[in-house]
């Protein structure tokens, strides 16, 4: 990280000054917890499956080949040992101090809540929630992991679908509305651990009209040139210093 001390000090100064901060994050927030980003070189693209991840994780594939969907889902999307890292913990701490108003995440791992954050908007759902498509009965992640083939509802025997937004599916409108509200009203928007490549989620950044835009990501993003503060480094490493 170039001029590490300077950028960290500037980040600290912004955090100290403002108490209306919104965080918008992606896969890079959880990679330091051992959850792979399937767009990275060593991510899920390098796996031995007959179809690419984006095909398997699509609504069409889920309907046509649920057994193969669940084989991939259990093997590559569920991480029972993952724990919150420095980024998750710092965001929860800043919320408790009245600094961070909301965390808007593209991740589906539940680690922000595990760290203690209370206002978390999950744009793409959560692997921790799974529902019977017939009766709506809730089933946790452990139930899915213990099941074989296509998991069946404990109550009625119907098929269970993870509460995650698959490719070809629309985002929850209530969650989007809340995210827009927080971004529109934020004084500071922190973007972290995301390449801003996934739409419509990345388009929510357009609603920000506040004072400071901060981008923290290892690789370049389309918003780098708009940032008041740009830090190209792992987000957990950065947050552990503020």
């Amino acid at each position: 990280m170039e001029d590490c001390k300077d950028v960290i000090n500037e980040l600290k100064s912004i955090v100290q000054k403002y108490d209306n901060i919104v965080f918008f994050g992606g896969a890079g927030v959880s990679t330091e917890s051992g959850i792979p980003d399937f767009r990275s070189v060593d991510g899920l693209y390098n796996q031995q499956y007959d179809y690419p991840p984006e095909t398997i994780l699509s609504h069409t594939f889920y309907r046509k080949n649920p057994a193969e969907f669940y084989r991939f889902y259990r093997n590559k999307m569920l991480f029972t040992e993952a724990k919150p890292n420095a980024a998750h913990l710092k965001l929860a701490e800043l919320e408790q101090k009245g600094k961070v108003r909301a965390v808007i995440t593209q991740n589906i791992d539940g680690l922000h809540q595990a760290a203690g954050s209370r206002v978390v908007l999950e744009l793409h759902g959560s692997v921790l929630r799974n529902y019977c498509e017939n009766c709506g009965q809730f089933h946790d992640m452990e139930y899915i992991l213990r099941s074989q083939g296509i998991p069946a509802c404990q109550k009625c025997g119907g098929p269970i679908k993870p509460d995650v937004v698959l490719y070809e599916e629309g985002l929850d409108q209530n969650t989007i509305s809340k995210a827009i509200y927080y971004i529109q009203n934020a004084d500071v928007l922190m973007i972290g651990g995301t390449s801003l490549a996934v739409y419509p989620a990345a388009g929510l950044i357009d609603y920000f009209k506040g004072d400071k835009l901060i981008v923290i990501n290892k690789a370049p993003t389309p918003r780098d040139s708009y940032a008041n503060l740009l830090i190209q480094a792992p987000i957990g490493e950065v947050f552990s210093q503020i």
Side-chain angles (χ1 to χ4, degrees):
M1 210 181 346
E2 292 182 16
D3 303 319
C4 176
K5 191 175 179 182
D6 290 343
V7 293
I8 293 297
N9 284 338
E10 189 174 349
L11 181 59
K12 282 181 182 177
S13 176
I14 293 171
V15 170
Q16 286 167 1
K17 179 179 178 182
Y18 290 92
D19 60 2
N20 184 4
I21 301 168
V22 169
F23 180 82
F24 182 95
V29 179
S30 292
T31 51
E32 290 169 79
S33 293
I35 296 178
D37 171 6
F38 67 73
R39 277 181 182 74
S40 64
V41 174
D42 57 347
L44 296 186
Y45 280 132
N46 263 6
Q47 308 299 338
Q48 297 302 312
Y49 286 88
D50 293 335
Y51 306 90
E54 284 155 328
T55 297
I56 299 174
L57 296 174
S58 70
H59 179 84
T60 299
F61 192 91
Y62 169 75
R63 291 295 177 207
K64 288 184 176 178
N65 199 342
E68 181 67 2
F69 168 88
Y70 268 110
R71 185 172 80 89
F72 180 89
Y73 183 74
R74 288 188 189 94
N75 290 343
K76 300 300 175 187
M77 305 302 291
L78 304 181
F79 297 88
T80 56
E81 303 302 315
K83 304 293 182 190
N85 61 51
H88 299 106
L89 296 169
K90 179 58 69 172
L91 287 165
E93 178 191 319
L94 291 174
E95 181 192 59
Q96 192 173 19
K97 289 179 176 177
K99 295 286 185 181
V100 168
R101 299 289 180 89
V103 168
I104 301 166
T105 182
Q106 300 171 81
N107 296 339
I108 57 176
D109 50 47
L111 291 179
H112 284 293
Q113 293 93 326
S117 288
R118 289 175 293 179
V119 183
V120 181
L121 303 179
E122 296 172 311
L123 296 174
H124 297 148
S126 174
V127 296
L128 303 183
R129 300 186 299 268
N130 306 272
Y131 296 97
C132 173
E133 295 195 83
N134 287 350
C135 73
Q137 176 73 25
F138 166 80
H139 298 80
D140 61 17
M141 181 171 66
E142 286 70 27
Y143 183 84
I144 302 300
L145 282 167
R146 289 195 307 268
S147 65
Q148 300 291 322
I150 304 165
C153 176
Q154 210 167 15
K155 184 177 178 182
C156 75
I160 297 170
K161 185 177 186 294
D163 188 17
V164 297
V165 179
L166 301 176
Y167 290 99
E168 304 167 348
E169 294 181 343
L171 274 59
D172 178 73
Q173 287 305 307
N174 185 45
T175 304
I176 291 237
S177 296
K178 287 180 180 177
I180 290 171
Y181 169 81
Y182 279 110
I183 291 172
Q184 275 182 330
N185 290 282
D187 293 328
V188 176
L189 179 62
M190 284 187 186
I191 299 172
T194 174
S195 59
L196 295 175
V198 178
Y199 281 80
L204 295 174
I205 305 304
D206 293 335
Y207 289 95
F208 179 63
K209 308 298 180 191
D211 293 345
K212 300 286 185 183
L213 178 66
I214 300 168
V215 176
I216 307 168
N217 196 53
K218 289 195 292 185
T221 82
R223 303 294 171 141
D224 290 359
S225 61
Y226 300 93
N228 300 100
L229 183 61
L230 174 63
I231 307 176
Q232 291 187 318
I235 190 166
E237 178 186 312
V238 172
F239 272 45
S240 66
Q241 299 177 67
I242 64 172

